[in-house]
């Protein structure tokens, strides 16, 4: 068969024309596995090239920091809050200034918020600060005191999941880290009993704690995520919102990456095998932490549409490899290997926004409404089957 001949099988006159390939120093170094801690304390395992990519990313972060500091010096510390354009008697010069700030801010956020500024920028732009301002100042402390010692199905599941949340992390996987994470998750489970607690939220809340530094700020970021940023019912008992999102991902994959979608459908590959974890954990279990947080930078400013952009980008980046797979397991392996080594956020986000094309919030909302009836019907049928089985057992 073509392409399977060894050098020994070829005629002598052709053997001299085949160069002897020796691994370069670069290739040999690339095979070395090294372990190191990233900016947020996670142990990362990769090769030397991965380390070089992370170093380049960190240099870009420093450059971004200089641009943010320059804007703060010229426009004021909270310039990014002056981006809304009001109606009425607002002077045109101020309108122009606000529009300029908005365009600049969107560009800067897609390039990444410097880690030192991330807590205050997220808290302001996401709506968390506004949400916190609507309740008494002691709300969080009062909530934690009121829930102390109470046992519910949610608290039992939280206690079960705490040691499994980023095991080995130097702070999260300690009694202090577990206690802080527990308070945030238990507190929210009582704030919204419809959501209570859902597996996946532990990873989201843990990463919020690392970024926001304080429990209370992490709590309000979690609240704004679940109540304003993400789709309703994403974390409720039947995960109906998450099921809807999976169907929307498949719909967009059909439109934006038709070759991949057709190949996966022929293999009977279900996108939800990988995308469920992506959406429930907001990529925090799949992507390196610094890449995840770059996705969250956009999420807290532009909304949940970025999750669809990123999901499709991951498929798109490995299109050639995916198109030659023959087994579902191979597809999962390729996608997991890809996400775990996406140390360069710019590479991912460039594909997500420049190669995937536009997906507006309005378009996504229409797709959600289109998919909801089928999801609810499917969940209803599942409940009926379970009830039928229970009756048979009796």
């Amino acid at each position: 068969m073509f392409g399977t001949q060894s050098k020994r099988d070829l005629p002598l006159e052709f053997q001299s024309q085949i160069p002897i390939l020796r691994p370069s120093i670069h290739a040999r170094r690339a095979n070395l596995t090294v372990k190191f801690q990233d900016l947020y304390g996670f142990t990362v395992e990769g090769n030397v090239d991965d380390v070089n990519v992370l170093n380049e990313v960190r240099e870009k972060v420093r450059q971004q920091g200089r641009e943010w500091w320059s804007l703060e010096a010229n426009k004021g510390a909270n310039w990014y809050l002056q981006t809304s354009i009001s109606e009425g008697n607002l002077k045109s010069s101020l309108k122009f200034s606000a529009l300029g700030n908005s365009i600049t801010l969107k560009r800067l956020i897609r390039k990444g918020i410097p880690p030192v500024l991330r807590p205050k920028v997220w808290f302001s732009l996401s709506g968390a600060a506004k949400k916190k301002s609507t309740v008494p100042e002691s709300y969080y402390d009062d909530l934690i005191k009121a829930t102390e010692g109470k046992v519910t199905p949610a608290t039992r599941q939280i206690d079960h999941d705490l040691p499994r949340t980023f095991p080995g992390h130097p702070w999260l996987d300690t009694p202090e880290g577990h206690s802080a994470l527990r308070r945030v998750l238990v507190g929210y489970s009582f704030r919204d009993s419809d959501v209570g607690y859902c597996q996946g939220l532990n990873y989201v809340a843990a990463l919020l704690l690392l970024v926001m530094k304080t429990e209370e700020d992490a709590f309000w970021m979690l609240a704004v995520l679940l109540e304003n940023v993400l789709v309703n019912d994403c974390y409720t008992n039947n995960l109906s919102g998450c099921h809807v999102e999976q169907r929307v991902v498949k719909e967009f994959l059909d439109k934006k990456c038709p070759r991949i979608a057709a190949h996966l459908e022929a293999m009977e590959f279900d996108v939800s095998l990988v995308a469920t974890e992506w959406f429930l954990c907001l990529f925090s279990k799949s992507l390196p932490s610094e890449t995840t947080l770059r996705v969250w930078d956009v999420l807290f400013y532009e909304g949940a549409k970025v999750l669809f952009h990123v999901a499709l980008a991951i498929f798109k980046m490995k299109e050639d490899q995916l198109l030659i797979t023959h087994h579902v397991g191979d597809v999962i392996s390729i996608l997991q290997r890809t996400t775990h080594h996406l140390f360069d956020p710019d590479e991912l986000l460039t594909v997500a926004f420049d190669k995937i094309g536009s997906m507006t919030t309005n378009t996504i909302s229409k797709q959600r409404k289109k998919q909801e009836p089928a999801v609810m019907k499917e969940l209803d049928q599942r409940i009926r089957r379970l009830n039928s089985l229970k009756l048979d057992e009796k």
Side-chain angles (χ1 to χ4, degrees):
M1 185 182 290
F2 180 77
T4 60
Q5 286 179 300
S6 68
K7 183 174 178 177
R8 190 184 309 165
D9 299 326
L10 294 174
L12 287 173
E13 63 266 31
F14 291 112
Q15 290 189 23
S16 60
Q17 299 175 21
I18 299 177
I20 298 172
L21 298 176
R22 296 187 177 91
S24 64
I25 293 174
H26 180 80
R28 289 200 297 272
R29 289 173 65 209
N31 290 329
L32 292 173
T33 300
V34 292
K35 287 185 178 181
F36 50 94
Q37 277 195 350
D38 68 11
L39 191 63
Y40 290 91
F42 292 97
T43 299
V44 178
E45 188 171 310
N47 58 39
V48 178
D49 289 340
D50 293 329
V51 177
N52 291 335
V53 168
L54 267 176
N55 286 335
E56 289 172 9
V57 168
R58 286 174 180 176
E59 179 53 36
K60 288 180 184 176
V61 168
R62 280 191 284 272
Q63 292 172 5
Q64 273 292 93
R66 286 192 284 270
E67 190 168 357
W68 279 80
W69 297 128
S70 174
L71 281 164
E72 288 210 349
N74 292 328
K75 296 188 175 188
N78 295 321
W79 69 270
Y80 49 85
L81 297 179
Q82 311 302 318
T83 57
S84 58
I85 303 171
S86 305
E87 298 292 331
N89 61 359
L90 187 65
K91 291 182 180 178
S92 60
S93 60
L94 292 178
K95 286 185 180 181
F96 184 78
S97 175
L99 179 61
N101 282 355
S102 179
I103 294 169
T104 299
L105 184 58
K106 183 176 181 178
R107 176 182 62 82
L108 282 178
I109 285 177
R110 287 192 178 187
K111 287 172 69 177
I113 302 170
V116 70
L117 293 177
R118 196 168 262 146
K120 75 166 189 172
V121 175
W122 277 10
F123 204 66
S124 298
L125 294 181
S126 66
K130 184 177 180 181
K131 187 176 286 289
K132 181 184 176 183
S133 71
T134 63
V135 297
E137 195 171 324
S138 61
Y139 177 92
Y140 180 71
D141 290 336
D142 293 343
L143 179 65
I144 298 307
K145 287 175 185 173
T147 59
E148 195 172 341
K150 291 190 176 180
V151 179
T152 66
T155 64
R156 284 193 288 268
Q157 186 62 53
I158 289 167
D159 289 334
H160 182 69
D161 287 346
L162 287 174
R164 304 192 299 177
T165 307
F166 297 126
H169 187 276
W171 182 74
L172 288 171
D173 196 12
T174 64
E176 182 187 357
H178 288 172
S179 296
L181 181 56
R182 187 184 192 279
R183 284 190 291 270
V184 171
L185 291 171
V186 169
Y188 192 80
S189 76
F190 280 90
R191 173 181 168 86
D192 187 344
S193 57
D194 288 337
V195 170
Y197 170 73
C198 173
Q199 288 176 306
L201 289 180
N202 50 322
Y203 294 98
V204 175
L207 205 47
L208 286 172
L209 271 171
L210 292 179
V211 175
M212 302 306 296
K213 309 301 183 189
T214 72
E215 285 178 39
E216 186 169 3
D217 285 355
F219 171 84
W220 287 111
M221 289 302 298
L222 184 65
V224 84
L225 253 179
L226 300 182
E227 296 165 18
N228 301 95
V229 178
L230 302 177
V231 67
N232 290 335
D233 301 329
C234 206
Y235 293 95
T236 50
N237 284 335
N238 62 6
L239 298 179
S240 60
C242 186
H243 289 300
V244 169
E245 300 297 71
Q246 305 312 303
R247 284 175 172 264
V248 175
V249 169
K250 186 180 182 305
E251 191 78 17
F252 279 121
L253 192 66
D254 290 343
K255 292 179 179 179
K256 302 286 186 178
C257 309
R259 292 176 67 212
I260 298 174
H263 182 72
L264 296 181
E265 191 167 343
M267 291 171 56
E268 297 184 348
F269 175 81
D270 188 346
V271 171
S272 66
L273 289 172
V274 290
T276 298
E277 182 180 280
W278 292 351
F279 276 73
L280 284 178
C281 300
L282 304 181
F283 295 100
S284 60
K285 267 190 78 179
S286 310
L287 296 172
S289 65
E290 293 177 49
T291 305
T292 300
L293 296 177
R294 284 284 301 279
V295 173
W296 288 14
D297 286 345
V298 184
L299 174 67
F300 287 124
Y301 185 57
E302 296 187 42
K305 69 176 184 178
V306 68
L307 303 178
F308 295 93
H309 279 274
V310 170
L312 266 59
I314 292 168
F315 283 100
K316 185 69 175 175
M317 291 172 78
K318 292 299 170 181
E319 180 168 8
D320 292 342
Q321 288 185 34
L322 291 172
L323 290 177
I324 59 173
T325 55
H326 299 287
H327 304 286
V328 168
D330 295 334
V331 176
I332 294 173
S333 295
I334 288 170
L335 295 173
Q336 286 181 342
R337 201 162 54 242
T338 299
T339 53
H340 291 161
H341 289 270
L342 267 172
F343 294 109
D344 185 354
D346 289 325
E347 181 186 8
L348 174 63
L349 293 175
T350 297
V351 176
F353 290 109
D354 295 348
K355 295 189 178 179
I356 294 302
S358 175
M359 285 188 286
T360 65
T361 300
N362 188 43
T363 303
I364 293 169
S365 296
K366 287 179 179 177
Q367 280 297 333
R368 285 172 177 153
K369 287 180 181 177
K370 176 183 172 184
Q371 301 298 337
E372 278 173 6
V375 166
M376 298 313 295
K377 182 179 179 181
E378 189 177 284
L379 291 173
D380 184 56
Q381 289 173 345
R382 188 180 301 173
I383 291 170
R384 289 184 181 183
R385 283 196 300 270
L386 287 171
N387 290 337
S388 177
L389 287 171
K390 287 176 182 177
L391 288 172
D392 291 342
E393 287 174 2
K394 290 180 181 179

